[in-house]
Amino acid sequence: MSFGIEVNGLPFAQEPRPGQCLRTYLRERGWFGVKKGCDAGDCGACTVHVDGEPVHSCLYPAFRADGRAVTTVEGLASPDGELHPVQQRFLDAQGFQCGFCTAGFLMTTAVLDEEQLADLPRAFKGNLCRCTGYRAIEDAVRGVRHVEAPGAGESVGRNLPAPAGPQIVTGTARYTFDLDVPDLLHMKLLRSPHAHARIVSIDTSAALRVPGVHAVFTHHDAPERLFSTARHERPEEDPDDTRVLDDTVRYVGQRVAAVVADSEAAAEEGCRRVEVTYEVLPAVLDPEEAMRPGAPVVHDKDPRTCRIARPEANVVGAAHGEIGDVEKGFAEADAVYEETFRTQRVQHASLETHGAVAWIDEDGRLTVRTSSQTPFLTRRALCALYDLPLEQVRVVTGRVGGGFGGKQEMLVEDIVTLAVLRLRRPVKLEYTRAEQFHGATTRHPFTVRVKVGARRDGTLTALRLRIVSNTGAYGNHGPAVMFHSISESTAVYRAPHKKVDAYSVYTHTVPAGAFRGYGLGQVMFAVESALDELARRLGLDPLEFKARNIIGPDEAMLTPGGHEEDLHLAGYGLDQCLSIVRRARTEPGAEPGAESSAEPGAEPLPEGWLVGEGAALAMIATSPPGGHFADVKAALLPDGTFDLAVGTAEFGNGTTTVHKQIAAGELATTVDRIGIRQSDTDLVRHDTGAFGSTGIVVAGKATLRASRALADLLLDFAAAHLAVPRAGCRLAEEAVLHPAGRLPLKELYEAARAAGVEFVADGHFGGTPRSVAFNAQWFKVAVAPDTGEIRILRSVHAADAGQVMNPMQCRGQVEGGVAQALGATLFENVRIDERGAVETADFRRYRLPQYADIPRTEVHFMETTDAIGPLGAKSMSESPFNPVAPALANALRDATGVRFTELPLTRDRVWLALRDAGAALPRPGR
């Protein structure tokens, strides 16, 4: 019998391969709107309709589609191109950020009936979003419009839509693997089953006999050179402790060999046939044990060349500092609180996994297309690793399906490049969801011992921290995260005596890396919880106690880690943030002007539940220290439109939209008349990368300077060409206005070309000086003592973002940060077993927040402007994450009287603590 399937009205007769799922069958035929997110039917990104019914195509066998009609997101619109009503609503509400999950939500929403629409928590049980916090998705479903129509003149401060919106809702936006590459080979990785072992021998002969296998690469084929997978502008910030393939494995899941074949199936079979003989070595999984004498050494390397602080003690980085005399400060205190707080591993869980595809182009140059936040730094690292000149390597980043810091690493590009340089064929490596858990990076687990003291009147006298960060088997971001964790977390409070001892420690576990907040969230959990508890012991209101001790707008930011000279309070809104929290505590509903229409607490609580409230604050630098560079080029084109070349990557952070808004404002035009090129090392100039909240405050400032310089060029030339005073000329949409009339930009371009003048301008910013942003979070919660369930009754977030460039997008960044932080606070946990292996290697066992888990957060923006940021803007991508965990823990403490010191606050952990507290619990219904 012949096979036949109809996809979006087109017939296909090619039979699927044995065992092939419908998702792969569709993607191989160019329907790239069907996304690969989880491999197990958990995320919904692959949702399609089969005969009108939604299915997860990663679980649906392709052969079952025989004789059926399949619709993907590309087929939702009418044949004449008119968008489906659901697509239009997602556009109008901008119900997406990175957009990787959007096709799945569209396909699910398109077939919901009235009863299902009335119960979205159940309707969306099979769809996950890591970026938005779900409010924008709900608004899209309900038909709420947020986007404004573009107009000439002032663009900054308006809710202008993302340029890629039409492509996202139609499934035509191109992510890393959404392209056909002829003659493509597939790579799969053999990974270590041991936490620590030496490879005695590798026999690849059986693997090479598998039909379709072209090569097997081992440590014998890898460069000897050591490097760091972390990507920073200055490579010397990170320890060089990694080889492409090593003869010693240091965690369960470390890559041992790479098999390249005609198909993924052949490559996987090749991995199964590789025979490895290991000498299993002692392993250490706990960082405290790792620092003790006699512990197994993770990296026996030269500290001078590899930049490891004390390899014999497994300390990759350490920081010690003191301001004043903490012992004196504690002696002066009327109350002292001391406790140890612990935070767990958290996975970034971006729905697009790590991956790259690379090839040699017709000019003999290496091209790498990758899901990366740092294309320029990745190119530089590849060139250093393989002794290639920069001009021989091109790195391209398409649209990235989420990052959150996890893609500020070089985890796949190095091994793919090795294969391409050897085989001279295109090679693809795409992580599975399981590999994302045991082969990528996590958030650093922290243990923080905090001691705080204060006088009876609520004045802080001393603060001491001992911090141990578990960086796992490789250092990558370890020292940098540790140093950052002790800066703004201690500087935000005024105390005459402060002391910090911090250690970043190797263990034989999956490596940790960059993660939203970069260490601050872990330490702020401890500091904000400890200050809350100290205030209660003094009989003071915790919020007023903190307000009494925060730094003011004219005070120096002092930290035991050393003052960073280029960090300034260039815009101060912390007092406003605390005012928002004060009002939230006394008013029953959403604040007037808040970016929310939620009315919390609609359902009555069951009898016996305990109710409480809590708040926390956070401060964060608006960009990393040590230099973060962006170069932008702006140009006038022959047709009178503009071209903007920007290096920073787009992964739902919204920088593409804001860069166009900045340029449109400076050039007095509309955003639709500005084209943008980005994230391609051949087409744009250097950019350090989209991390550390720099997309607007660094790259945006370079865009501002380039746009202003171009405006000056246009007006200067127009004045000279027209022989009129420069002061009498001004830019308007499509023209220069002058005293005698109007000169169209097309004519201006032609006149300049005839005179040999190019309308091209450059803008540069080096990331210094830097400012700080502030955030405060408040929760009202209810807790069930007999089950440990926590119900969030109300969530309020105050954000000091300076001049808000695009309120709709900025609100989305805040909501997404709060939602991700709630996941880390309540249930997300990368569990490691006694062998050092990750136990939670899929979304079924690793609990991501679903639609039903996340409350609507009332978002308030402070009325501030920043003296350093472009047009007064600050960063707001990382900072909303940091105060969430302590605010919820403080609310839980208020409700129950129990201080929780370890994350996540799972129901069983809460229940056990409340059971043990017994009669000490407060009365219900407070």
Side-chain angles (χ1 to χ4, degrees):
M1 291 179 64
S2 60
F3 178 85
I5 180 176
E6 182 183 282
V7 183
N8 299 327
L10 300 175
F12 292 87
Q14 185 175 350
E15 290 193 15
R17 296 189 300 274
Q20 187 174 38
C21 68
L22 182 58
R23 178 197 65 196
T24 307
Y25 183 89
L26 294 170
R27 287 186 59 83
E28 287 181 354
R29 278 140 196 86
W31 304 110
F32 294 123
V34 184
K35 294 293 184 262
K36 177 182 184 294
C38 68
D39 310 310
D42 295 327
C43 75
C46 68
T47 303
V48 301
H49 298 165
V50 178
D51 287 342
E53 292 294 321
V55 302
H56 287 177
S57 60
C58 69
L59 296 181
Y60 194 96
F63 78 87
R64 285 184 55 194
D66 184 22
R68 300 178 183 271
V70 175
T71 304
T72 73
V73 68
E74 292 96 331
L76 268 189
S78 65
D80 61 2
E82 183 179 354
L83 293 181
H84 187 283
V86 170
Q87 291 172 309
Q88 189 61 55
R89 291 201 295 270
F90 269 74
L91 261 187
D92 292 342
Q94 193 152 311
F96 53 83
Q97 285 182 28
C98 83
F100 200 81
C101 71
T102 304
F105 274 97
L106 287 166
M107 300 307 290
T108 299
T109 304
V111 294
L112 295 180
D113 59 28
E114 290 302 317
E115 182 179 353
Q116 292 168 318
L117 285 169
D119 189 4
L120 290 182
R122 180 176 295 276
F124 286 146
K125 192 173 182 179
N127 292 84
L128 294 174
C129 176
R130 190 56 155 168
C131 295
T132 66
Y134 297 105
R135 188 273 315 160
I137 293 171
E138 180 185 355
D139 283 357
V141 175
R142 304 299 186 203
V144 179
R145 182 182 177 91
H146 294 296
V147 302
E148 299 179 46
E154 188 62 45
S155 293
V156 168
R158 299 180 60 207
N159 293 332
L160 299 186
Q167 290 75 44
I168 288 171
V169 301
T170 57
T172 56
R174 291 295 174 249
Y175 296 80
T176 306
F177 296 113
D178 294 344
L179 76 167
D180 289 313
V181 180
D183 205 27
L184 181 66
L185 299 177
H186 299 266
M187 176 183 286
K188 286 293 181 180
L189 300 174
L190 175 67
R191 296 182 178 275
S192 169
H194 305 295
H196 192 200
R198 185 174 295 109
I199 297 173
V200 177
S201 65
I202 298 184
D203 186 349
T204 63
S205 56
L208 290 168
R209 289 195 295 269
V210 173
V213 169
H214 288 257
V216 180
F217 298 103
T218 72
H219 64 272
H220 297 296
D221 305 292
E224 292 288 341
R225 181 172 290 136
L226 295 171
F227 66 99
S228 172
T229 62
R231 299 291 96 228
H232 285 112
E233 181 65 41
R234 298 189 304 176
E236 62 272 17
E237 292 182 10
D238 308 303
D240 286 340
D241 57 10
T242 305
R243 278 188 69 192
V244 175
L245 290 165
D246 207 329
D247 58 355
T248 299
V249 291
R250 297 177 174 86
Y251 68 97
V252 176
Q254 180 169 334
R255 59 196 189 194
V256 171
V259 179
V260 182
D262 290 328
S263 67
E264 289 190 356
E268 288 173 348
E269 181 61 25
C271 287
R272 286 189 283 270
R273 301 283 185 92
V274 175
E275 297 180 8
V276 186
T277 302
Y278 296 98
E279 177 192 353
V280 178
L281 302 172
V284 59
L285 308 182
D286 179 82
E288 293 285 0
E289 292 180 9
M291 288 190 288
R292 293 177 184 142
V297 174
V298 180
H299 287 277
D300 185 12
K301 293 180 170 67
D302 187 339
R304 296 166 298 179
T305 58
C306 297
R307 297 183 296 280
I308 300 172
R310 290 189 289 130
E312 74 286 353
N314 292 316
V315 175
V316 62
H320 306 281
E322 186 170 8
I323 297 171
D325 183 342
V326 291
E327 294 307 323
K328 178 184 176 186
F330 289 126
E332 294 172 349
D334 294 308
V336 174
Y337 174 72
E338 185 172 12
E339 186 56 85
T340 298
F341 294 82
R342 292 179 174 84
T343 62
Q344 79 283 25
R345 287 178 179 83
V346 178
Q347 237 288 328
H348 304 82
S350 53
L351 290 193
E352 181 197 42
T353 60
H354 282 79
V357 55
W359 60 89
I360 304 295
D361 68 15
E362 59 274 11
D363 297 321
R365 300 170 70 233
L366 173 69
T367 297
V368 181
R369 182 178 171 92
T370 175
S371 177
S372 173
Q373 297 174 227
T374 58
F376 282 89
L377 301 189
T378 298
R379 178 181 67 162
R380 187 168 69 189
L382 291 175
C383 290
L385 195 55
Y386 291 105
D387 295 316
L388 299 170
L390 282 176
E391 61 272 13
Q392 282 297 109
V393 178
R394 176 187 184 188
V395 175
V396 180
T397 296
R399 190 170 180 89
V400 178
F404 317 113
K407 294 173 181 175
Q408 192 194 338
E409 304 269 358
M410 188 172 71
L411 298 180
V412 293
E413 299 90 345
D414 58 324
I415 189 71
V416 171
T417 294
L418 172 66
V420 171
L421 293 177
R422 294 291 185 88
L423 298 174
R424 316 301 288 186
R425 289 269 303 273
V427 176
K428 168 188 172 182
L429 172 59
E430 182 178 11
Y431 274 12
T432 64
R433 181 55 56 185
E435 286 182 298
Q436 198 71 13
F437 277 99
H438 57 236
T441 59
T442 73
R443 187 189 193 209
H444 284 78
F446 268 58
T447 300
V448 182
R449 184 73 179 175
V450 57
K451 185 176 182 180
V452 287
R455 294 191 179 92
R456 204 169 279 106
D457 64 358
T459 303
L460 275 177
T461 61
L463 168 64
R464 185 172 70 195
L465 299 174
R466 182 184 183 272
I467 296 168
V468 176
S469 168
N470 185 348
T471 197
Y474 289 90
N476 39 29
H477 291 269
V481 166
M482 176 205 66
F483 280 114
H484 188 238
S485 75
I486 64 175
S487 54
E488 295 98 287
S489 60
T490 57
V492 70
Y493 285 108
R494 184 194 315 111
H497 309 287
K498 302 177 183 177
K499 184 177 182 179
V500 167
D501 294 288
Y503 307 88
S504 178
V505 184
Y506 285 125
T507 60
H508 291 106
T509 58
V510 61
F515 190 100
R516 199 173 201 164
Y518 214 66
L520 281 181
Q522 295 95 310
V523 176
M524 292 307 298
F525 170 60
V527 171
E528 288 293 295
S529 296
L531 292 178
D532 186 275
E533 191 65 35
L534 180 60
R536 294 175 187 278
R537 296 189 176 192
L538 285 166
L540 301 174
D541 176 83
L543 186 63
E544 298 311 318
F545 173 63
K546 292 175 183 180
R548 188 174 304 180
N549 290 287
I550 58 173
I551 58 170
D554 301 317
E555 296 183 53
M557 291 176 284
L558 300 177
T559 172
H563 179 59
E564 296 170 278
E565 297 295 333
D566 71 333
L567 192 61
H568 305 279
L569 286 167
Y572 187 84
L574 183 53
D575 52 349
Q576 294 182 46
C577 291
L578 296 182
S579 294
I580 291 293
V581 171
R582 289 190 186 96
R583 290 203 296 271
R585 298 197 303 177
T586 58
E587 296 183 4
E591 293 289 327
E595 295 291 328
S596 173
S597 58
E599 196 61 45
E603 296 183 10
L605 286 173
E607 185 178 353
W609 284 53
L610 308 172
V611 179
E613 63 178 56
L617 59 87
M619 178 175 77
I620 189 171
T622 55
S623 58
H628 193 108
F629 303 118
D631 293 282
V632 173
K633 188 181 292 291
L636 177 68
L637 300 178
D639 63 355
T641 62
F642 298 94
D643 176 72
L644 197 62
V646 182
T648 191
E650 173 65 60
F651 54 99
N653 45 0
T655 54
T656 305
T657 314
V658 171
H659 288 183
K660 293 183 71 167
Q661 288 181 263
I662 291 171
E666 296 301 313
L667 296 167
T669 188
T670 54
V671 291
D672 58 326
R673 294 183 60 78
I674 296 177
I676 190 163
R677 295 174 292 142
Q678 58 193 133
S679 307
D680 183 334
T681 59
D682 266 15
L683 301 181
V684 298
R685 297 179 62 195
H686 180 80
D687 187 281
T688 296
F691 64 88
S693 306
T694 58
I696 291 175
V697 296
V698 177
K701 191 151 186 171
T703 292
L704 177 68
R705 289 176 173 176
S707 303
R708 282 183 175 172
L710 179 59
D712 286 338
L713 280 176
L714 295 172
L715 293 174
D716 288 343
F717 184 86
H721 175 69
L722 298 166
V724 298
R726 166 71 159 74
C729 298
R730 66 183 178 88
L731 286 171
E733 188 178 8
E734 302 186 55
V736 173
L737 303 183
H738 56 90
R742 181 176 182 275
L743 176 63
L745 292 178
K746 292 180 183 179
E747 295 182 19
L748 185 66
Y749 182 92
E750 290 300 326
R753 187 173 68 170
V757 174
E758 278 191 307
F759 286 134
V760 178
D762 295 322
H764 171 81
F765 186 54
T768 183
R770 301 176 297 139
S771 186
V772 295
F774 298 100
N775 296 75
Q777 175 70 43
W778 177 83
F779 288 111
K780 185 174 183 180
V781 304
V783 188
D786 54 347
T787 66
E789 179 185 350
I790 300 172
R791 189 175 298 177
I792 298 174
L793 305 180
R794 192 172 171 206
S795 171
V796 176
H797 192 98
D800 174 22
Q803 167 63 51
V804 180
M805 312 294 260
N806 187 309
M808 173 181 65
Q809 286 194 165
C810 194
R811 177 189 176 194
Q813 288 291 296
V814 173
E815 291 170 331
V818 171
Q820 191 175 37
L822 281 173
T825 302
L826 292 172
F827 31 74
E828 291 185 49
N829 187 9
V830 178
R831 296 196 301 271
I832 305 292
D833 68 15
E834 67 280 357
R835 299 183 305 111
V838 173
E839 292 183 316
T840 48
D842 55 56
F843 286 156
R844 296 275 171 98
R845 287 172 290 177
Y846 183 81
R847 173 91 152 73
L848 279 185
Q850 296 176 300
Y851 180 96
D853 296 316
I854 303 301
R856 279 207 169 203
T857 292
E858 302 165 36
V859 179
H860 302 257
F861 295 124
M862 305 305 97
E863 296 180 0
T864 62
T865 187
D866 195 78
I868 295 174
L871 303 176
K874 297 185 182 184
S875 61
M876 198 47 58
S877 58
E878 293 185 273
S879 55
F881 189 103
N882 294 331
V884 170
L888 193 67
N890 290 341
L892 190 58
R893 164 65 170 86
D894 189 53
T896 66
V898 178
R899 172 58 60 187
F900 289 84
T901 61
E902 186 171 353
L903 297 180
L905 301 171
T906 54
R907 288 178 64 166
D908 57 341
R909 182 171 286 165
V910 172
W911 178 80
L912 286 170
L914 298 188
R915 183 200 62 181
D916 293 343
L921 289 176
R923 296 191 322 182
R926 295 179 54 240

